[in-house]
Structures are given as structure tokens and as C-alpha cells.
Amino acid sequence: MTKTARTSSITFVLAAICIFHLNTSLKAQAPKASSLDKQRGHDIASQIKGELKKNYYDPSFHGMDLDARFKAADGKIDSAESIGHIFGIIAQALLDLEDSHTFFVPPGRSARTEYGWEMQMIGDKCLVTAVKPGSDAEAKGLREGDEVWTINGFGPSRENFWRIEYLFKALRPQPGMKLTVRRPNGKEDELVVLAKITEQKRLMDLTSGEDIWYLIRESENSDRLHRQRYVEMGNELMIWKMPRFGLTEVQVDDMMAKVRKHKSLVLDLRGNGGGYVITLQRLAGYFFDHDVKIGDRKGRKEMKPQVARTRGDKVFKGQLVVLIDSRSASAAELFARLVQLEHRGTVVGDRSAGAVMEARFFPHQWGVDVVAFWGVSITDADVIMTDGKSLEKAGVNVDELVLPSPADLAAKRDPALARAVALLGLTLDADKAGQMFPVEWRK
């Protein structure tokens, strides 16, 4: 995301939950907050309040008394026990907005936390979808298909899943989690699964070639995990696994040049959390022989609608199936719903996240010689689609619901992709479908 780029991506959804009390057992391990830490906390809260007042799409803040909210936060910061506690108080100040795209991004840490397993809401159940080979999770016996019943005592649901992700992955990464899981055979087990903590450099000297190359390697690793993947089945079908809407217009053109060589396309947007509006508009323009309005943008001032301009004679005219799931958010949801509204194709999988707003990211920093970077994402528009509805908190209901069972996950089968291909008149075994896009882990 560029410095002030307009984006429809979602990293995490915040909602009303007292996130600082999910794991109180680690408080004693955290360094005590100094007076300087608290002053920085006050400064961050003040800057966030200022950004909200200037930029939030709803000037009434959904009825929230913004000044009172941040005054209360300042009082709590004065008695905060740790830096993590301060960051939690700042994040909490935004929670009552219940806005998927308005959230605090704390300064980066000097250690990287890798849990070694992934979970996801599938239907109304939270299931383990991947376990990293060699991880503590694998050693403790966590397996794909296990249902996560509780995490540190809290039961995940569609309503609070994003809050848990925000807490554990961005705000306060944990050295481990206590899990209660239900096995596919119905047996319940309790596991304490430890994370892998990799210490990184506390200070980066960007005049140093060594540190610059370190950043380049990290960037390349991230790019590898988010690259576009695809499988071609002759000239009949292309299956495109699109992890995010992060392509430039030229890159969209290049991918669609490949797509146009085929009679049919399965566009797999499962796990796609969104990305740039410009990517969405460019991609959508390849599926219609006329300009199509994606939606109207509702903000503080009059705003131009989101429109996909047709690509003319370069339009893909073949059959289209779009795959989505509970992690498909923002731009991915807008594309899927546009396909439904315009009767352009079929949407298969699971109901999407319901996290569809337009936002800007505001970067900040403190320090001079030693600099720490932080930021805040602020919604500046809601997107109202041509049926007069917003997808926020609603999501996209699929044309055909296809959910992998715990047994499918355990066997690494992909029945949703197999069904998508079947709708196009072709055959793909669910076992083979599950091998096409294996889970990839950070090296």
C-alpha cells in the first residue's frame, strides 16, 4: 500500500471486544511502560483522533462522542502497565465504530511470530486449514480438519474471528496459544501450541548495504507468498488463484492475455482480502462489453462512483465461475457481487467476510535518528452497489454453497474447486484439485 493510496483492502476487522484481556497471563513478562512510552501513547492517540475528525466518512462517527472516547483512552494510558497495554488502549478507542477498515497499525516488532498453523471460518465452524511441517503445532498433534473450539478460553465465531486475528497477528502476537479442539471423530483435546519467535534487528541502518539487502530479502519472501498462481487445462480452462488485488494495470493486462486464450475461467478469490480499487476496476473491465458501475461511494463529500471501463475487443467472453470464502473481503467481494448483479457468471463457495469499505492509510513515525513507524487506516467511503445495498457486515451469499468437510481438509481435498470446474462442463477430481495450489509458508 502506497503512502496515501486509496484502497479497498482489509487487513483486520475491529469490533467491540476488550482485546487487552484475552491473555492476561503474559502481562508479567512485558517490560513496564515508561513515562516516555506513555507520552508517545498520548501523542499517537491525539494524532489518530485528528485524522478521524478530518477524514472519517461519517462526520457523526455513528453517534460516538469522539472527544469523550479519546479522553477516556488518555486516562487509561496514564495507568498502562506496558507498551502492549498502551497499544491495546489506542486500538480499543476505535472499536466502537465497528468499521472493518478503520484500525490502528502499531509499530513493527523486532521479533517475528509464526504460529505454524492456520484456521478459518468455514460455514459456522472454525477449522484448522493448514499445519506447517516441523512446527510445534504438528508436534503437538494439531491436524487439518480439527475444529477450534476455544482459543485461550474464547470461542471463535464469524462475528469475532477478525478481532482475534487482529489481536494475535498485529496488535499483541503471543508466544503460544491454549487450544481446545474437536477432532473429526468427535474427540476433544486440549493443546498448548507454541509459536516460533525469530529475533530480528532492533535497529536498521539504511546506509548499510547489509541492512538494505535484508529488507530486499524480506520483500521478496512476501512477494513469493502473494504471487499470482494459475493452472491451464489445455485451451478449455484456466484456473487463476488470485491472492489479492495488488496488481498494476499492466500486470492485470498480462494475466488477462493468458486468460483470453481459454474458453472458461475459474477465478479463485478464496482468501483474497482485497487490495487496490484501480486493480478491481481494471480487472472487471475485462468481463463486460460495456462500461459497468461497480457502486456509488458514500462519503463526507460528493464522490465519483466506482466504474469499470470495458476493455473493448480485449474483453474475455468465455464462461466464468468465481470462488469465494469467509476470507474473501473488500475488492474480492465487490467483484463477486458485480458478477452476480450483472449475471456474468456463477459464484461458488462460502459466504464472504462482509468487510467492504474504502479507506486510506495514514503513515506516521516518531523519533529522529532512531525512527519507529506506525499508522492508521481510516474509512473515507462506503460502497453502495447497484441494488442499493452495502456489503458491509452482510457479505456475498454464493449461488452455490460448497464447504469442505473436516475430512476433506484432513485429506487435502478441494470440493469447491472441483465443483467450480464441473459447472463449466469439465471434470476435476477433488483430490487433484487440492494439490493444485498447496499452502506455502514463509521461509
Side-chain angles (χ1 to χ4, degrees):
M1 188 181 304
T2 56
K3 193 171 183 181
T4 56
R6 182 172 301 283
T7 176
S8 62
S9 68
I10 172 172
T11 309
F12 305 99
V13 176
L14 302 181
I17 183 173
C18 192
I19 52 183
F20 348 113
H21 297 302
L22 281 179
N23 192 348
T24 57
S25 63
L26 296 176
K27 283 186 177 180
Q29 302 175 19
K32 194 169 180 63
S34 67
S35 58
L36 178 60
D37 295 329
K38 294 178 181 181
Q39 184 55 54
R40 285 175 170 168
H42 289 307
D43 292 342
I44 290 174
S46 177
Q47 290 180 73
I48 288 176
K49 183 176 74 170
E51 298 285 15
L52 282 170
K53 283 189 171 183
K54 288 188 296 183
N55 300 290
Y56 194 65
Y57 83 106
D58 178 5
S60 72
F61 307 103
H62 307 308
M64 176 193 291
D65 186 334
L66 203 65
D67 290 324
R69 166 68 54 180
F70 278 85
K71 183 178 180 180
D74 278 331
K76 293 175 182 177
I77 288 172
D78 285 332
S79 58
E81 300 176 6
S82 67
I83 295 175
H85 192 188
I86 291 171
F87 292 162
I89 292 166
I90 294 168
Q92 182 72 46
L94 301 174
L95 293 180
D96 283 349
L97 288 171
E98 297 188 2
D99 186 312
S100 67
H101 284 55
T102 299
F103 52 89
F104 168 53
V105 180
R109 290 167 172 80
S110 59
R112 183 171 64 235
T113 302
E114 297 176 276
Y115 294 111
W117 63 285
E118 294 288 340
M119 61 181 174
Q120 181 176 333
M121 295 304 303
I122 296 177
D124 293 324
K125 293 183 178 181
C126 181
L127 300 178
V128 176
T129 55
V131 178
K132 185 177 183 178
S135 65
D136 187 66
E138 182 187 53
K140 295 292 177 58
L142 193 66
R143 297 290 181 263
E144 289 91 347
D146 289 344
E147 181 180 356
V148 181
W149 194 240
T150 65
I151 306 170
N152 290 357
F154 285 79
S157 66
R158 279 222 176 215
E159 290 71 30
N160 70 16
F161 185 81
W162 298 101
R163 310 166 204 167
I164 293 172
E165 289 251 291
Y166 175 74
L167 171 66
F168 289 130
K169 291 188 176 181
L171 191 62
R172 300 185 70 180
Q174 306 293 303
M177 298 181 190
K178 183 177 180 180
L179 307 176
T180 303
V181 299
R182 284 184 176 178
R183 307 294 189 176
N185 62 8
K187 179 184 176 183
E188 278 196 11
D189 283 326
E190 287 193 353
L191 306 173
V192 177
V193 179
L194 302 180
K196 179 182 178 181
I197 310 296
T198 304
E199 290 295 331
Q200 298 175 297
K201 292 190 175 184
R202 292 181 179 272
L203 296 175
M204 289 285 180
D205 180 359
L206 298 184
T207 66
S208 162
E210 180 182 348
D211 285 356
I212 289 174
W213 280 110
Y214 172 83
L215 293 175
I216 290 173
R217 287 193 299 271
E218 286 293 295
S219 176
E220 289 175 342
N221 196 1
S222 178
D223 289 344
R224 177 184 65 84
L225 294 175
H226 293 97
R227 74 189 187 280
Q228 309 295 317
R229 293 189 280 175
Y230 62 92
V231 172
E232 296 172 296
M233 297 175 66
N235 65 351
E236 292 293 323
L237 172 66
M238 178 168 161
I239 303 171
W240 176 5
K241 179 74 172 176
M242 186 181 189
R244 61 184 179 184
F245 282 74
L247 299 175
T248 65
E249 290 184 322
V250 171
Q251 289 171 326
V252 172
D253 296 343
D254 290 343
M255 285 299 300
M256 288 306 301
K258 295 180 174 67
V259 170
R260 290 200 308 275
K261 297 176 182 178
H262 303 81
K263 296 178 182 178
S264 303
L265 171 67
V266 173
L267 183 59
D268 189 348
L269 300 181
R270 290 176 297 178
N272 185 316
Y276 295 123
V277 171
I278 193 171
T279 307
L280 168 64
Q281 293 172 331
R282 188 73 164 195
L283 179 66
Y286 273 101
F287 292 91
F288 303 96
D289 60 7
H290 58 282
D291 294 349
V292 176
K293 182 165 75 171
I294 298 171
D296 292 308
R297 297 156 64 213
K298 180 182 177 183
R300 288 196 184 193
K301 56 186 179 181
E302 186 175 349
M303 307 175 80
K304 293 181 179 180
Q306 284 188 19
V307 175
R309 305 293 180 189
T310 180
R311 299 299 294 155
D313 59 0
K314 296 180 180 179
V315 164
F316 172 68
K317 298 179 181 179
Q319 296 183 83
L320 172 65
V321 175
V322 179
L323 280 172
I324 60 172
D325 63 9
S326 66
R327 284 188 177 274
S328 302
S330 207
E333 296 180 90
L334 290 172
F335 184 89
R337 185 57 180 150
L338 179 66
V339 166
Q340 289 181 326
L341 291 172
E342 297 293 327
H343 307 288
R344 178 60 183 86
T346 306
V347 180
V348 175
D350 194 4
R351 177 166 59 89
S352 64
V356 186
M357 305 292 273
E358 238 183 66
R360 290 177 62 190
F361 180 74
F362 296 88
H364 292 276
Q365 67 183 59
W366 72 57
V368 180
D369 295 325
V370 178
V371 179
F373 298 94
W374 61 276
V376 59
S377 176
I378 296 178
T379 294
D380 62 358
D382 192 0
V383 182
I384 309 300
M385 303 206 73
T386 55
D387 61 353
K389 298 177 182 179
S390 169
L391 294 173
E392 182 75 2
K393 297 185 176 65
V396 178
N397 290 310
V398 294
D399 299 314
E400 187 166 334
L401 183 70
V402 183
L403 305 178
S405 67
D408 288 327
L409 293 172
K412 295 181 171 57
R413 292 190 294 263
D414 190 344
L417 178 53
R419 178 56 182 161
V421 171
L423 288 172
L424 297 171
L426 301 171
T427 301
L428 177 64
D429 182 81
D431 290 291
K432 185 175 181 180
Q435 298 170 14
M436 285 185 167
F437 304 107
V439 174
E440 296 182 322
W441 303 93
R442 179 180 287 275
K443 292 180 178 179

